[in-house]
Amino acid sequence: MNVAAIAKLSIAMAIFGSIGFFTIHTGIPAVELVFVRCIFATIFLCGMWFITSGHKIEAWSKKEVLQTCLCGIFLVLNWVFLFKAFEEMSISVTISIYNLAPIIVLILGALFLKEKMTVQGLLATIVCFLGSILIVGIDNFQSINQLMNSGFIWALLSAFCYALTMITSKTIQNLSPYSMTFIQTTIGIIMLLPFCDFTVFNGLSTSNWIFIIGTGLIHTGFVYYLFFDSIRSLPTFLVSVLTFVDPVVAILLDIVLLSFSPTLLQALGIFLIFGSIFYTVRPRKQIES
């Protein structure tokens, strides 16, 4: 067991779990925040790519570059939708819905990749849907306007784009993680530049800038460095389990620092979602023993 890789991934997920807390203190909207994040990630990871001399042995492929560009579009949209959801809903509720991504991967795989949907996957999907209704609130599902204003759609779109990111990234085998991220975040800069309102940066406090820089440098550059440096040394099931550190930290910070107090139904919904996802990703050999 690679203890160093486990530690790096755990630290990465724990840091990423605080991104919601940082986001709501930046004082800028989602599009501009993701734009800044892409700039920091491009500079940081490109620097690491050169420092590690990875650029000297990079195996470029036109097909994989195009696949990475598509993956980058999904990744950037995932970030934008996630941050917009943070603007409308509590961090705990947003993160719970966002982590439906593995279940969405199962559904998309069954619909478009002709992968067999197991009874276990189907039950997990149904339970997660019920959990989503409980944490957002049944009242918010009674009209389109209420549903849109709740932030649920933004969180769901974020999970959907994250699922597409996971699916498209599976087709990329030869490009290094550093070059992949460099391409993806560069795509993000190009995508978002026309939509950025740079006047939102006027009048920001020192505290705002600290959170903005932290989101870009720590939650993107440093976290992705740790993530990419560890993920290829660990089995898939262990990566899936360790990603649960992210939502646990996010929810704890929401409760402790932002005084989020879930209702009984919301707590039940969060339990249903994460219980179903954990049941889905846990290693099969341990189930049968």
Side-chain angles (χ1 to χ4, degrees):
M1 191 69 71
N2 192 327
V3 178
I6 293 174
K8 287 180 181 179
L9 185 57
S10 298
I11 293 171
M13 291 297 99
I15 294 174
F16 193 75
S18 66
I19 193 169
F21 176 77
F22 271 65
T23 298
I24 63 176
H25 287 88
T26 59
I28 59 176
V31 170
E32 287 74 19
L33 182 56
V34 175
F35 179 75
V36 171
R37 194 178 181 195
C38 286
I39 291 175
F40 274 102
T42 302
I43 295 172
F44 185 91
L45 290 172
C46 185
M48 292 301 303
W49 187 37
F50 276 86
I51 291 172
T52 58
S53 299
H55 64 290
K56 296 180 180 179
I57 57 174
E58 194 67 55
W60 294 99
S61 161
K62 181 179 179 181
K63 179 182 178 182
E64 287 203 338
V65 169
L66 292 175
Q67 290 172 328
T68 302
C69 288
L70 178 62
C71 185
I73 293 172
F74 293 140
L75 179 64
V76 172
L77 289 176
N78 151 48
W79 287 346
V80 171
F81 293 143
L82 177 63
F83 293 161
K84 287 187 74 68
F86 283 142
E87 294 173 0
E88 304 292 338
M89 297 194 301
S90 72
I91 293 172
S92 296
V93 172
T94 300
I95 288 296
S96 299
I97 297 171
Y98 177 69
N99 279 276
L100 288 173
I103 301 298
I104 296 175
V105 169
L106 287 178
I107 298 173
L108 293 178
L111 292 176
F112 301 108
L113 302 179
K114 297 181 180 180
E115 295 178 356
K116 186 178 179 181
M117 173 68 85
T118 63
V119 174
Q120 171 186 318
L122 182 60
L123 289 175
T125 302
I126 295 172
V127 172
C128 283
F129 177 73
L130 293 175
S132 299
I133 293 177
L134 291 178
I135 64 174
V136 176
I138 297 175
D139 292 343
N140 286 321
F141 284 85
Q142 292 180 355
S143 73
I144 297 297
N145 287 336
Q146 286 179 314
L147 192 60
M148 291 297 294
N149 292 332
S150 70
F152 173 78
I153 297 299
W154 294 125
L156 192 61
L157 284 173
S158 178
F160 183 75
C161 288
Y162 183 39
L164 290 176
T165 301
M166 288 191 285
I167 290 175
T168 52
S169 65
K170 286 183 179 180
T171 63
I172 304 166
Q173 301 294 328
N174 298 316
L175 284 178
S176 72
Y178 295 121
S179 60
M180 280 178 59
T181 308
F182 170 75
I183 294 171
Q184 291 169 342
T185 52
T186 301
I187 288 293
I189 294 171
I190 297 171
M191 279 176 59
L192 299 177
L193 181 59
F195 302 100
C196 281
D197 177 10
F198 292 100
T199 62
V200 302
F201 294 98
N202 296 333
L204 292 176
S205 67
T206 302
S207 176
N208 290 142
W209 279 110
I210 290 174
F211 282 109
I212 290 171
I213 294 172
T215 302
L217 189 59
I218 300 173
H219 291 94
T220 310
F222 184 61
V223 163
Y224 273 79
Y225 166 70
L226 291 177
F227 182 81
F228 288 138
D229 198 43
S230 61
I231 192 170
R232 292 187 176 183
S233 303
L234 298 172
T236 302
F237 84 88
L238 188 54
V239 172
S240 299
V241 172
L242 288 177
T243 54
F244 276 82
V245 174
D246 168 8
V248 169
V249 170
I251 293 172
L252 286 177
L253 287 177
D254 197 16
I255 293 173
V256 175
L257 298 181
L258 300 176
S259 301
F260 172 70
S261 181
T263 64
L264 182 61
L265 288 179
Q266 285 180 319
L268 176 59
I270 292 171
F271 174 79
L272 288 176
I273 287 177
F274 289 113
S276 297
I277 295 172
F278 184 77
Y279 179 77
T280 302
V281 303
R282 75 185 195 207
R284 300 273 74 80
K285 289 184 179 180
Q286 292 184 12
I287 298 174
E288 297 169 356
S289 61

